[in-house]
Structures are given as C-alpha cells and as structure tokens.
Amino acid sequence: MRSLYKLIGLLSLIGMMYSCEDYLDKTIETDLTVEEVFKNFENAQGFVEEMYAMIVDYSAPFWSYYSYYGEDSIGVETWIFDYSSDEGRYWDWQNDFNYFSGNPNTSSGLPFDKSAVWPSSWAGIRKANIVIASADSLMVDATQQQKDAILGQAYFFRGFFHHEIMKFWGPMPYIDHVLKDDWKLQRPTEWSETALKIDKDFDKAIALLPEDWDDSDWQPGVKTNGQNMFRLTKGAALALKAKNLLFAASPLMQNSNDTYGYNVELCKQAADAFAKVIDIPRYQLVPWDDYESVFYSTDGKYSYNSEYIFGQSGFVGWFGGYMGDAWQLGAIGNSNAINSPTHNYIHNYFGMKDGLSCDESPLYDPNDPWANRDPRFYKWIVVDGDQLVDNLGAATGADAVNRYAEFYDGGAHRYPGKSNGTRTGYVAKKWYPRSFNKYDNQGLFAWRVHVRLTDVYLMYAEAAVMGYGVNGKPSGFNLSAVDAINKIRERAMPDGSLNVSAVNLTSPNVFMEEIRRERAMEMSWENHRWMDIRRWKQGTNMKYKLKTGLRFNRNASGKPINMVEEVLRTRVFDEKHYWLPLPKNDTELYEGFPQNPGW
C-alpha cells in the first residue's frame, strides 16, 4: 500500500502555481505500473478514493470558515477572500484564504491536503480520465460489478469536476482523455456546449452506480458495509445531472440580461431528473424535531440521515471549535472572529408564520420585528434576549452577563463596544446547538453536504416552474413546483399555514421570486447564495450588494426600541464580477483560451 500511495501522490501532484496546465500534464513516474494499480478492485478503488478528498468543503477552506461571498453575512477579518470579494478584488482568489485556491502559504502540494476548486478540479479531471482509460481493460481480476463501481465513480467525478470549475470561471473545454504532450485547450463560448457533455458523464454514472453501497446485492460494498455512507450513488449522480442542467438553463449561463431568462427545454430536462431523485425511497425530508441532525450531531458520530445525497465527511469540534470560530459569539466561544447574519438578508427572506414575507404580511410589526416569524427564524437565528447557554449556573459572577444575548447598543455582545460581538444584531445558530460553548463544553460533530433533499426540492421547483409552469409537472410525476415548496414548509408547520399564498402564484415570474425567497431561507449559510445570485443574473442589483445591521436600544421591559437599519458595507459588483478572472498564465499560453470579460 505504501507504493500505491506513492503512485496516487505522483499521479495527482499539484504545485501551488495556479495554471491549469500544471494539473493536466503530469506523467507517471512510479515504482508501480498502471497495470498493477488497476489489476484488481482494491487497488483501483484506492486510486479512486483520492477524488473524494478533492471534493471542496466550501465552508472550511484551510481552517477558515468565512466563505460567504453574497449579502448573507458580514465578517470581521480583512485578510481573507470574503472581504476582497466585497471590495470587488476578485484577482485575490489566487492569494487569499478561500476555497478556490486554498492556502497560498501551505508547503504541501497534494490535493488531499485541503482541497481547493481550481487545483483539485483540474487534477480530478485527469485522475478520472486515467481511470476511464484503464479500468475496463486492465481490471482482469475484478467482477463486472467491481468494474462498474470504479467506472461509475470516475464518470461522476469527471462530470462533477468540470461543473465545479465552470460554476466560478464560466465556459470551459471538456476534457475526455488523458492529455499528452503538446495539447491545447480551446474555450467554448457557450456554457451548454460543455454542460451537455457533462450530462452524458452523469448518465453513465447513473447506469453504473447503485442506489446504496450497503445493498447486499452490491458486491463492491460488502467489505466496507456500514461505512459506505459517503460513497457515490445513483441518486447522487441523478442530482448532479439535474443540477448541471438547471445551471445550464439559468439566466447567466444563457447570456440573458433577464433574471427570468431561462432555457425552457433544459429546465424541463432538469425537472425530470430531479423528479427521479425525489422518487428514490431512501430520500425523505428529516422531521422538524430532528432537523438538527442534517447539520451536526453531539455524539461524535455521523448522522447518515435520509436527507443526505452527496457531500463529504465533517470534523469534530468542541466549544469554540471550527464552527464556533465562524458563528459563535467570542464571549462564550474561543475566537473574536465572528460572522454575523445581515439584517437585510434576514428581513428579506425569513418571513412570517402566515407564509408571507415581512413586507407582505399583516403580521409584521416593525416595532416588534421578531414576533410571529416563520419557525425557521427561531430555529436558526439568535436575537436579543435569547438564552445563550444551557447551564446557566456555570455562567456566574462576571460571566453572568453571558447567559442571555445583549445585542442592543452598549450590550455585552454588541460590536463595536465588544470586538467579539455581533455587528448586525443577530447570530446564526444553524451549525451548532446552544450547548456548544465554553460553559456547557458540548462536543460537536458537524459536516457539509453539496446536495441534500431540501436542495433538490427547491431546485426542482425552480426548474419545474420555468419548464412546466406554476402547476405543471413532468409526465408521470405527481408533484408540482407549488407542491414542492409546500412540502418543505409543512415540515415546519404541518397544518399548512406556511403554504404558498395565492398572491405569489399569479405568474411563473412572481412565483419564482417566492421560490428564491424560500431557497434563501432554507439553504441559508450553506454556501449556495453567492452562486445563486450570480446564476440568476442579479448581482449588479443594489438589493444584493447591501449588507446591513439593525441598531436598537432596550426599553424598561427589555423590548427593542429606536430601531435603525444601518448600511455596514456595500459590495462592489459590476458586470465582470459574474465570473472570476482566469490565471494570466493560462490566458497567455496560446490563442483560444481568452480571459473572462472585464479582467
């Protein structure tokens, strides 16, 4: 195995020079031949496993949990890319701590040492092509199911890594073979040109992969039975196929200046594929009372819940551990660096218990803004006066002030008076329980997923309404876009009181805005927002540039008074910011690989 690991490293060696050519033209220099690597399933799977390590955890690039590049939160650090992106300095993706390039100071050149989108995806494409070129013919000591498992994963990863690059840098060439000397890449002008080739890779993966690796009829998973939770499945391939098609149909990828300018046929294809994911019995929405299990556990174990479709493993934390550094108040955590949810994001998207937005609902009282809100508001957001720790008796003496949130001006947990306090008047608690603090010292096992079932319902609704209309649905599938949104909302309020109001169903475009509001709330702080506002072609709108906080005092009864919304930051976003700039090394190699517009 030591020699095998050496082969894996050499085949995928990644230097921290950012040109894609560094990741595509590595030659094989090893004690083992390709024939030896692919002689049986165990060796081949060992080679494939490294591609799992190349899946980027968008929440944790190099120990930094500040990867929120939309208007959904504001941080205090100025040395990482979330600050650079707010200032429009996108060239800094090559220099700052982020999930595009990783840590520029790392001495390691291996992709499994903290993966990053640009280097890991190019290397992953090459690895996948090596597998596809070798596995079927060289795996002589393997069953057909074992060959299917190896090739199914490779086709998935080849499609996935192409999709990952294109999400941020725009149309890219599709590479379907191991590149030799003197190769040149020509960038296509249309996103769909490569997206449709990616679609075929996912189709091949769908045909080859099982629904569950623990299925007794799936021989490749027998030896690792009970530990196959993060392996690629038919459902994962279907979900990524559908997501790839929805992205290809989206306004940005269609070069449309209309935020509703979708490609109808691609939307229909995406909705059809999402419907097949929803039909897989293994996937069910996690009940409301257990919804936390989608994001973390406190027993040190993975919760392989019914909502998980595709992603990666997580990490073990403690009070003030990694997620605490990102979201927990410094006064009860372990860090003074805190992300604060923005007031405008919470006001615009976290609505009321009647299913309407704050601006639409008669229940909204600007003098009592946290009353009568959607249950998800209380599940995921901490507001002034909320209890902060479970063990109140542990916070005594000078620490007694940390029992309850003081987010008002001059309060114990408010910036700028407290450098480790909230800047906006809110704290997010989606990623940890209340007991995750230095008083309760609760252990935490958290993880990230790229796709979960709620995400599939939301993307299905988006594709279905633009492909089939408000109440339309794919042939043979008994769920409309409206039904999909209501199914999500009924998890929180089974009586249907949160269901979509008729005022938001007057046209596909009107309903699309409600779908987008629902997506912003349900997928809040899961690193979808920046991609969504870009692909919807909304980034230049001032609504999506502002980051605001809520200033207020308390009256004698402890109620907020004198509330004033203040602009904390205005993001720089011009037309060129829809795509990241390409490394100059790549655009100066030869004709046919041009820089993105404006850079």
Side-chain angles (χ1 to χ4, degrees):
M1 290 304 293
R2 183 177 300 170
S3 296
L4 177 59
Y5 291 144
K6 181 179 179 182
L7 172 64
I8 293 172
L10 287 171
L11 284 176
S12 304
L13 188 64
I14 296 178
M16 289 311 293
M17 295 173 61
Y18 295 114
S19 173
C20 66
E21 67 172 337
D22 296 315
Y23 317 129
L24 291 172
D25 61 1
K26 299 300 174 186
T27 57
I28 299 173
E29 300 170 348
T30 178
D31 295 337
L32 293 179
T33 65
V34 174
E35 287 76 12
E36 289 175 298
V37 172
F38 291 101
K39 72 177 181 180
N40 58 39
F41 174 72
E42 287 75 17
N43 281 21
Q45 184 62 30
F47 185 77
V48 167
E49 289 292 330
E50 189 180 333
M51 285 185 278
Y52 285 88
M54 293 173 172
I55 301 171
V56 171
D57 180 354
Y58 291 130
S59 66
F62 288 85
W63 316 290
S64 174
Y65 286 74
Y66 309 94
S67 306
Y68 300 90
Y69 307 144
E71 88 285 25
D72 45 350
S73 72
I74 187 167
V76 298
E77 303 291 0
T78 60
W79 51 274
I80 51 181
F81 188 70
D82 83 318
Y83 185 77
S84 296
S85 67
D86 280 350
E87 294 199 327
R89 295 185 283 111
Y90 279 16
W91 281 112
D92 285 356
W93 76 261
Q94 296 177 91
N95 306 317
D96 291 347
F97 287 67
N98 57 69
Y99 53 66
F100 306 117
S101 64
N103 182 350
N105 299 321
T106 185
S107 59
S108 173
L110 296 179
F112 48 73
D113 181 11
K114 301 290 186 180
S115 54
V117 178
W118 184 259
S120 298
S121 296
W122 289 115
I125 290 169
R126 179 172 176 83
K127 281 184 68 69
N129 279 325
I130 290 172
V131 175
I132 292 167
S134 308
D136 191 46
S137 61
L138 297 181
M139 289 180 65
V140 295
D141 186 17
T143 67
Q144 188 59 51
Q145 275 195 345
Q146 289 174 332
K147 288 184 179 181
D148 289 349
I150 296 300
L151 286 169
Q153 293 170 96
Y155 281 118
F156 177 97
F157 278 124
R158 186 168 71 181
F160 172 72
F161 287 127
H162 277 95
H163 178 74
E164 285 288 274
I165 295 170
M166 295 213 303
K167 284 194 307 185
F168 304 110
W169 288 275
M172 285 289 160
Y174 174 79
I175 304 169
D176 63 354
H177 59 281
V178 181
L179 298 178
K180 306 298 183 182
D181 294 337
D182 300 324
W183 51 266
K184 290 185 178 181
L185 300 177
Q186 302 292 316
R187 290 191 72 189
T189 57
E190 299 295 329
W191 172 286
S192 296
E193 180 178 331
T194 296
L196 293 177
K197 295 175 182 177
I198 292 172
D199 185 62
K200 289 183 170 58
D201 273 343
F202 286 132
D203 280 340
K204 292 174 182 176
I206 291 164
L208 294 169
L209 292 170
E211 287 190 9
D212 189 340
W213 277 64
D214 282 345
D215 190 318
S216 59
D217 293 329
W218 182 247
Q219 189 270 336
V222 171
K223 286 187 177 181
T224 50
N225 189 272
Q227 299 177 335
N228 292 315
M229 61 192 70
F230 294 109
R231 296 196 190 281
L232 297 175
T233 62
K234 192 181 300 292
L238 269 168
L240 265 295
K241 168 188 171 71
K243 184 175 183 178
N244 172 60
L245 290 169
L246 175 60
F247 276 44
S250 295
L252 175 63
M253 291 69 173
Q254 289 294 313
N255 298 312
S256 174
N257 290 320
D258 178 4
T259 189
Y260 309 113
Y262 287 78
N263 181 296
V264 174
E265 182 55 37
L266 287 175
C267 281
K268 289 180 178 179
Q269 293 178 36
D272 294 354
F274 282 128
K276 292 177 181 177
V277 180
I278 294 169
D279 267 345
I280 295 176
R282 182 243 181 285
Y283 303 129
Q284 300 290 328
L285 291 179
V286 171
W288 180 252
D289 290 342
D290 193 36
Y291 202 5
E292 287 78 9
S293 69
V294 172
F295 309 108
Y296 61 81
S297 71
T298 56
D299 60 4
K301 298 178 181 178
Y302 290 115
S303 174
Y304 186 44
N305 59 72
S306 61
E307 195 157 324
Y308 171 85
I309 296 176
F310 168 62
Q312 69 269 72
S313 60
F315 60 83
V316 177
W318 54 94
F319 83 87
Y322 294 105
M323 278 309 299
D325 287 350
W327 294 107
Q328 183 61 281
L329 285 164
I332 62 174
N334 216 28
S335 171
N336 289 335
I338 180 177
N339 273 334
S340 301
T342 54
H343 171 68
N344 53 305
Y345 190 82
I346 290 173
H347 176 84
N348 290 338
Y349 306 114
F350 282 79
M352 307 301 291
K353 67 179 184 181
D354 60 2
L356 295 172
S357 70
C358 293
D359 293 335
E360 295 171 319
S361 174
L363 297 177
Y364 182 73
D365 180 359
N367 295 312
D368 193 7
W370 307 317
N372 298 314
R373 299 296 287 265
D374 186 302
R376 291 167 287 188
F377 176 91
Y378 306 107
K379 203 172 193 70
W380 294 332
I381 298 170
V382 182
V383 298
D384 186 62
D386 282 355
Q387 186 174 332
L388 294 177
V389 301
D390 278 343
N391 186 1
L392 296 177
T396 60
D399 284 352
V401 72
N402 293 327
R403 293 177 174 182
Y404 297 94
E406 294 187 3
F407 295 163
Y408 58 90
D409 279 352
H413 310 116
R414 185 64 192 235
Y415 181 92
K418 300 294 182 181
S419 62
N420 57 12
T422 173
R423 293 193 166 201
T424 63
Y426 303 92
V427 165
K429 58 180 179 179
K430 193 172 191 177
W431 299 110
Y432 57 88
R434 187 168 63 189
S435 56
F436 186 65
N437 60 73
K438 68 182 181 181
Y439 304 108
D440 297 308
N441 201 25
Q442 174 66 63
L444 180 69
F445 201 38
W447 48 86
R448 296 294 174 274
V449 294
H450 273 256
V451 181
R452 59 187 179 93
L453 186 58
T454 300
D455 191 12
V456 166
Y457 274 113
L458 289 162
M459 289 189 290
Y460 167 76
E462 182 181 343
V465 74
M466 300 313 289
Y468 293 104
V470 172
N471 292 303
K473 60 194 75 170
S475 176
F477 188 62
N478 193 31
L479 193 80
S480 69
V482 181
D483 296 331
I485 299 302
N486 287 340
K487 190 172 183 66
I488 293 171
R489 293 185 177 188
E490 287 167 5
R491 165 165 48 190
M493 296 190 74
D495 64 1
S497 56
L498 268 182
N499 285 5
V500 180
S501 170
V503 301
N504 290 314
L505 297 175
T506 55
S507 73
N509 289 359
V510 169
F511 183 38
M512 175 60 79
E513 286 308 304
E514 187 67 355
I515 292 171
R516 290 173 176 176
R517 185 176 73 84
E518 181 70 17
R519 180 170 179 81
M521 177 164 44
E522 266 290 341
M523 307 308 293
S524 54
W525 309 299
E526 295 184 43
N527 278 287
H528 295 282
R529 185 62 181 169
W530 188 61
M531 186 65 234
D532 285 341
I533 60 177
R534 288 171 49 242
R535 68 183 179 88
W536 293 334
K537 207 66 185 299
Q538 294 182 319
T540 57
N541 188 318
M542 183 57 71
K543 178 180 178 180
Y544 306 100
K545 294 182 181 183
L546 294 178
K547 294 188 175 187
T548 73
L550 188 65
R551 289 280 174 193
F552 56 92
N553 305 117
R554 277 184 181 176
N555 64 18
S557 301
K559 290 289 187 179
I561 58 172
N562 304 325
M563 285 169 286
V564 177
E565 183 178 13
E566 64 172 345
V567 176
L568 301 174
R569 193 177 296 169
T570 301
R571 301 174 62 243
V572 174
F573 196 106
D574 300 317
E575 196 69 24
K576 70 178 182 179
H577 292 108
Y578 281 110
W579 301 118
L580 292 177
L582 293 162
K584 291 182 179 180
N585 287 350
D586 288 332
T587 60
E588 296 173 356
L589 285 173
Y590 44 75
E591 294 292 327
F593 204 84
Q595 181 59 269
N596 281 326
W599 297 107

